[in-house]
Amino acid sequence: MRVLIDADGCPVTRAAVQIAERFRVDAFVFCDTSHDIQIPGAETIMVSKGADSADFALLRMIKPGDAVVTQDYGLAALCLARGAAVVSQDGLRYTADNIDALLLSRHTSRKIRESGGRMKGPKKRLASQDAAFCAAFEALICELKPLEQK
């Protein structure tokens, strides 16, 4: 098991790396050249700037049983299909049971924006969101860690 982090715009990258270190799990941070993210305890995979280039690099490296951190529903769906466990920056665990509804929500929002409608932007990040992520991510690592020893 490894931790793979879609770090472009991810506010919990450092927290995820710290949790991975505590559980002695290798961590990889994926970003493009417009986000030079270097965090001790993680290997940075930097790719050329481009639409979804970091996402594609992460997908090329993923293996079943890996833990992924991303806020991108599309990437989450692809990671689930490859046997990874996926959690959002707010601690939401993406599953086969919720990913279709999340993708539909994303699609609907995009259609509204394309037709000239406006959507509210994200609210200011709260410490409670960071705490929710840390709790959910630790639980995920604890769940996956025993599986790799079988």
Side-chain angles (χ1 to χ4, degrees):
M1 176 188 66
R2 302 166 304 163
V3 169
L4 289 76
I5 305 164
D6 176 16
D8 290 343
C10 181
V12 294
T13 302
R14 288 190 186 282
V17 170
Q18 289 171 351
I19 292 168
E21 274 190 306
R22 199 166 64 243
F23 284 93
R24 293 186 176 95
V25 176
D26 293 335
F28 299 87
V29 173
F30 293 82
C31 61
D32 66 30
T33 54
S34 62
H35 302 93
D36 185 7
I37 301 170
Q38 302 293 327
I39 300 174
E43 181 178 335
T44 299
I45 310 293
M46 190 177 301
V47 297
S48 299
K49 188 175 176 182
D52 302 320
S53 58
D55 297 351
F56 292 129
L58 189 151
L59 283 170
R60 281 191 298 276
M61 195 167 156
I62 200 165
K63 295 179 182 173
D66 285 342
V68 176
V69 178
T70 186
Q71 63 185 351
D72 183 327
Y73 298 158
L75 178 59
L78 294 169
C79 291
L80 287 172
R82 293 186 178 206
V86 191
V87 67
S88 78
Q89 65 187 19
D90 294 330
L92 171 68
R93 177 85 179 265
Y94 299 109
T95 67
D97 294 331
N98 67 11
I99 196 66
D100 288 338
L102 293 168
L103 288 168
L104 178 60
S105 170
R106 180 180 80 162
H107 175 73
T108 302
S109 295
R110 182 176 180 192
K111 287 294 182 186
I112 290 169
R113 286 191 305 276
E114 286 176 351
S115 66
R118 301 189 87 172
M119 304 296 292
K120 289 184 178 181
K123 295 178 183 176
K124 183 176 175 168
R125 186 153 183 91
L126 303 173
S128 60
Q129 290 170 293
D130 291 342
F133 167 78
C134 289
F137 194 57
E138 285 182 17
L140 176 63
I141 298 295
C142 287
E143 178 185 321
L144 294 175
K145 195 85 167 131
L147 294 177
E148 73 177 8
Q149 295 168 357
K150 290 183 179 179

